[in-house]
């Protein structure tokens, strides 16, 4: 896996394994030879339209396979790429299109900017635009190692997502290092499941190509629930998959509940994004054939920086983050100086896998990418992660929390201030604070203080917002923020309590909330709402809503999303429904948007059952 450019890794795989599968979809398998020829033609089309070193190609496909091909074609044209997530609200998409100033856009989804197109296939097949002939050659332009390979966006504390610029040399080194650490070979198949526009997409694609392995793509970018994931893994003979921590927990829960083990071909599940509880990690290692690789990293450091693949000791209180990849330097520092192993400090990441910085934001770049005061080589930099950690006796990095208020929600980093500012911009809101729900950490809770004191509840209590009051706060956020950043459970309080250090006391807010709703540890029980009579299908559906949402008082007409539901919990609900309702077979989690209450969903299931008989 040598060479001076990331494309050298691709070219070596295409040369050494021309007939091996490179891209696998539900309808087609592209060999390395076929994919090489197709992306050469796409690259020629891009170059003719202005793609070259120093420029970006925007990708706005709903099809993951075309997105992967577009990434490769952009690099072949000498350009970098950026991926537009179709889940973003229109205003946020328009802002990212403007900021990237891409020379050309590829895409065919409803979220694609004006002028986006699909290049011709070498044989003049689907997507032909008449501008290039069969077998178009790859452009001759050769990009430099320091040219941009891609720009991806993360949450920003200023309210604007930060575009991280990763150079081609960093991507080349990263792809080779991950392929080596995971022992990837041409026999491997890596299932692509990450959201398009999320940096894990990079880890799912380029290490596989560096090893001559295949990338397996779904038909679309919709999330798979646990059962659908298991079926996809089995049918495609996937050997490697990467899941966010919460997604992995849903899959592990489904496997345990159904008494199932991972498919025979699956050898490694890469997991990361949030703190890992040791208990489910040990349970998996004791029962499941597929091994685990626990990873830690940030977009600004080219995805994952450390990997842990060991067997977790019985007395371990944390799942280690692991040891660094090749070309990654991990150090624990206070005030820029290293601390002895075993002591806690802020995690700093150095080495050639660091991003160039943030797109058109020199001030933010200077704050987070700092000179290394201990380095012997000129120009060495460190990325200041904001994460606390220590190096244990075995040389493993161990996570110890955050040094600032940044949070992780469903695998995404989020600056709470961004959401809190959006809430305070809503008329009638004076103050706001958000944090993940204390129980599962999969949904955001929001606490607001009304501008009119007469609208506030009594001091020391929290009023749960529902109906129009809740919608008035959520709707403006949904127009501005991605789904995972929108609080789904909202409370109104008279004031935000402070701890002795002068910071908002989130623990006390959570106590007020559970006391007010009657849920959570230590709260007084709330009697369940009346249950439908025997034989009424609504009863079983209502029971599952209450179980999944941990809301015993939920009624037949209560909205799933108004009570903290989100995509991962929707997956869990549909998985449970399939166990007892044959009509739920094939039902996607998106069905909850059309039927978000127990009564509506029970009716939808009855209608499906009647249509089958």
């Amino acid at each position: 896996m040598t060479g001076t450019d990331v494309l050298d890794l691709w070219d070596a795989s295409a040369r050494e394994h021309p007939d091996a599968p490179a891209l696998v979809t539900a309808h087609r398998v592209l060999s390395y030879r076929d994919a090489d020829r197709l992306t050469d033609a796409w690259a020629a089309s891009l170059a003719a339209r202005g793609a070259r070193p120093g420029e970006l190609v925007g990708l706005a496909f709903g099809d993951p396979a075309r997105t992967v091909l577009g990434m490769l074609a952009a690099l072949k044209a000498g350009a970098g790429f950026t991926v537009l997530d179709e889940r973003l609200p229109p205003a946020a998409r328009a802002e990212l299109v403007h900021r990237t100033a891409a020379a050309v856009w590829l895409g065919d989804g409803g979220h694609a900017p004006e002028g986006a197109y699909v290049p011709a296939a070498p044989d003049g097949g689907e997507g032909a635009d008449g501008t290039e002939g069969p077998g178009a050659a790859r452009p001759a332009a050769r990009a430099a190692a320091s040219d941009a390979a891609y720009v991806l966006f993360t949450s920003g504390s200023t309210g604007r997502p930060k575009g991280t610029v990763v150079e081609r040399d960093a991507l080349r080194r990263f792809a080779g290092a991950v392929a080596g650490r995971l022992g990837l070979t041409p026999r491997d198949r890596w299932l692509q499941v990450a959201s398009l526009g999320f940096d894990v997409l990079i880890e799912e694609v380029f290490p596989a190509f560096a090893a001559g392995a295949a990338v397996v793509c779904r038909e679309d970018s919709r999330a798979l629930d646990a059962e659908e994931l298991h079926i996809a893994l089995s049918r495609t003979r996937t050997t490697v998959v990467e899941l966010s921590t919460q997604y992995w927990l849903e899959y592990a829960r489904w496997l345990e509940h159904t008494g199932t083990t991972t498919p025979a071909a699956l050898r490694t599940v890469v997991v990361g994004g949030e703190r890992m509880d040791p208990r489910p990690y040990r349970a998996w290692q004791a029962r499941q054939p597929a091994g685990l690789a626990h990873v830690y990293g940030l977009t600004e450091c080219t995805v994952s920086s450390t990997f842990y693949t060991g067997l977790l000791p019985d007395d371990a209180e944390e799942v280690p983050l692991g040891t660094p990849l090749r070309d990654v330097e991990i150090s624990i520092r206070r005030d820029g100086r290293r601390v002895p192993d075993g002591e806690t400090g802020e995690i700093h990441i150095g080495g050639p896998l660091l991003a160039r910085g943030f797109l058109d934001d020199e001030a933010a770049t200077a704050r987070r990418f700092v000179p290394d005061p201990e380095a012997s080589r000129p120009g060495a930099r460190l990325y200041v992660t904001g994460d606390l950690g220590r190096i244990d006796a075995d040389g493993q990095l161990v996570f110890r929390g955050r040094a600032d208020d940044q949070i992780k929600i469903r695998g995404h980093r989020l600056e709470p201030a961004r959401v809190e500012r959006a809430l305070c911009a809503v008329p009638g809101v004076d103050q706001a604070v958000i944090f993940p729900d204390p129980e599962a950490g999969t949904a955001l809770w929001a606490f607001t203080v009304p501008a009119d004191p007469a609208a506030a509840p009594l001091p020391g209590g929290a009023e749960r917002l529902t109906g129009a009051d809740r919608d008035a706060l959520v709707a403006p956020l949904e127009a501005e923020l991605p789904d995972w950043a929108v609080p789904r459970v909202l409370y109104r309080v008279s004031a935000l309590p402070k701890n002795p250090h002068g910071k908002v006391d989130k623990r006390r807010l959570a106590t007020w909330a559970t006391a007010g709703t009657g849920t959570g540890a230590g709260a007084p029980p709330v009697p369940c709402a009346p249950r439908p009579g025997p034989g009424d299908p609504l009863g079983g559906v209502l029971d599952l809503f209450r179980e999944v949402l941990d809301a015993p008082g939920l009624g037949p007409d209560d909205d799933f999303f108004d009570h903290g539901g989100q995509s991962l919990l929707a997956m869990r609900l549909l998985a449970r429904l399939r166990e007892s309702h044959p009509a739920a077979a094939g039902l996607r989690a998106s069905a909850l948007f059309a039927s978000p209450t127990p009564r509506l969903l029970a009716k939808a299931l009855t209608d499906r059952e009647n249509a089958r008989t």
Side-chain angles (χ1 to χ4, degrees):
M1 297 182 185
T2 59
T4 58
D5 187 76
V6 63
L7 283 179
D8 294 335
L9 303 179
W10 167 268
D11 289 338
S13 293
R15 182 174 59 252
E16 296 169 12
H17 313 285
D19 297 317
L23 199 64
V24 177
T25 73
H27 307 291
R28 187 178 182 187
V29 175
L30 282 177
S31 68
Y32 270 89
R33 179 188 291 109
D34 293 337
D36 196 42
R37 183 167 174 253
L38 176 60
T39 51
D40 278 354
W42 281 29
S45 174
L46 290 172
R49 293 172 179 247
R52 57 182 179 272
E55 299 285 354
L56 288 177
V57 170
L59 304 174
F61 291 112
D63 176 6
R66 281 186 167 178
T67 301
V68 172
L69 292 169
M71 291 157 60
L72 188 57
L75 293 172
K76 286 186 172 186
F81 61 83
T82 190
V83 182
L84 190 61
D85 191 336
E86 65 180 343
R87 301 172 307 163
L88 290 174
R93 292 203 304 264
E95 170 70 8
L96 295 193
V97 169
H98 172 73
R99 288 177 59 191
T100 55
V104 56
W105 278 90
L106 299 181
D108 58 358
H111 66 299
E114 184 178 357
Y117 78 108
V118 181
D123 57 2
E126 180 185 359
D129 63 1
T131 60
E132 57 271 345
R138 184 188 306 185
R142 182 75 174 180
S146 59
D147 283 329
Y150 63 85
V151 175
L152 293 180
F153 287 83
T154 60
S155 171
S157 59
T158 63
R160 299 181 75 216
K162 293 179 287 190
T164 301
V165 184
V166 173
E167 297 176 349
R168 297 174 77 102
D169 185 57
L171 180 56
R172 173 185 68 86
R173 292 172 182 267
F174 169 77
V178 173
R181 178 63 69 93
L182 294 179
L184 300 180
T185 74
R187 294 184 297 276
D188 279 303
R189 292 181 166 213
W190 194 316
L191 179 64
Q192 193 284 307
V193 297
S195 301
L196 305 181
F198 191 27
D199 68 346
V200 172
L201 174 67
I202 304 299
E203 188 156 81
E204 294 172 320
V205 171
F206 290 97
F209 286 161
V215 176
V216 180
C217 289
R218 300 160 291 152
E219 291 188 65
D220 54 49
S221 59
R222 291 180 298 173
L224 304 173
D225 66 29
E227 183 177 0
E228 291 169 329
L229 172 66
H230 186 75
I231 292 171
L233 293 170
S234 300
R235 287 179 175 172
T236 60
R237 303 189 306 280
T238 289
T239 63
V240 181
V241 67
E242 183 159 359
L243 307 175
S244 69
T245 305
Q246 293 297 332
Y247 193 1
W248 173 78
L249 285 169
E250 288 299 319
Y251 183 44
R253 184 180 286 110
W254 181 87
L255 289 171
E256 181 177 2
H257 189 82
T258 58
T260 310
T261 56
T262 50
L266 186 66
R267 65 176 182 86
T268 302
V269 181
V270 182
V271 184
E274 298 171 66
R275 178 191 170 271
M276 172 67 72
D277 187 329
R279 290 171 297 177
Y281 201 87
R282 287 194 193 94
W284 176 288
Q285 290 189 322
R287 183 171 183 272
Q288 297 300 337
L292 291 174
H294 191 220
V295 298
Y296 165 76
L298 303 98
T299 306
E300 295 87 347
C301 306
T302 315
V303 204
S304 297
S305 297
T306 66
F307 280 65
Y308 175 73
T309 55
L311 190 64
L312 190 65
D314 291 339
D315 60 349
E317 298 179 354
E318 292 287 337
V319 181
L321 302 178
T323 56
L325 285 177
R326 184 176 68 241
D327 290 326
V328 173
E329 301 166 7
I330 299 289
S331 57
I332 308 300
R333 305 191 180 211
R334 293 196 207 105
D335 300 322
R337 300 293 177 182
R338 295 175 188 263
V339 302
D341 287 355
E343 292 190 14
T344 297
E346 190 168 6
I347 300 172
H348 289 61
I349 302 178
L353 267 63
L354 292 192
R356 179 190 299 170
F358 299 119
L359 182 68
D360 299 327
D361 195 338
E362 294 182 2
T365 300
R367 284 195 302 271
R368 305 298 290 197
F369 295 86
V370 301
D372 183 353
E374 299 181 359
S376 57
R377 65 182 188 279
R381 300 179 303 153
L382 296 169
Y383 183 74
V384 183
T385 67
D387 291 326
L388 299 176
R390 64 180 178 86
I391 304 297
D392 69 13
D394 297 321
Q396 305 280 351
L397 177 64
V398 178
F399 181 70
R400 302 293 292 170
R402 285 290 299 177
D404 56 23
D405 290 331
Q406 190 181 87
I407 59 178
K408 278 285 188 79
I409 187 76
R410 288 152 60 187
H412 299 269
R413 284 184 295 148
L414 178 66
E415 300 282 359
R418 181 183 177 196
V419 184
E420 292 162 358
R421 266 193 298 273
L423 279 168
C424 290
V426 178
V429 176
D430 183 51
Q431 295 176 280
V433 66
I434 68 160
F435 53 88
D437 68 281
E439 192 68 28
T442 60
L444 286 176
W445 284 9
F447 292 80
T448 62
V449 178
D452 180 4
L458 293 175
E463 176 189 359
R464 178 77 172 264
L465 298 182
T466 60
D469 288 341
R470 177 186 176 278
D471 293 345
L473 294 182
V474 170
L477 271 59
E478 289 180 326
E480 179 182 344
L481 302 170
D483 173 75
W484 51 266
V486 177
R488 298 299 175 185
V489 177
L490 295 97
Y491 295 92
R492 183 183 291 142
V493 295
S494 62
L496 298 178
K498 302 294 177 63
N499 61 25
H501 303 288
K503 294 186 176 182
V504 174
D505 192 335
K506 297 174 183 176
R507 183 174 299 178
R508 199 188 315 176
L509 284 173
T511 300
W512 290 356
T514 54
T517 61
T519 62
V526 169
C528 291
R531 190 183 187 281
D536 187 340
L538 173 58
V541 175
L542 178 59
D543 286 345
L544 290 178
F545 267 69
R546 291 170 175 173
E547 173 193 320
V548 169
L549 293 174
D550 190 23
L554 195 80
D557 298 304
D558 285 333
D559 189 289
F560 179 81
F561 300 100
D562 284 355
H563 288 77
Q566 33 74 15
S567 60
L568 286 171
L569 292 180
M571 291 180 186
R572 188 184 307 174
L573 177 62
L574 265 294
R576 296 285 285 114
L577 275 170
R578 292 193 193 103
E579 296 166 10
S580 54
H581 293 73
L587 199 66
R588 300 295 296 258
S590 57
L592 276 170
F593 290 101
S595 304
T597 71
R599 192 184 307 279
L600 289 173
L601 190 57
K603 182 180 184 303
L605 291 172
T606 299
D607 291 344
R608 284 170 63 92
E609 182 64 31
N610 291 338
R612 292 169 53 183
T613 57

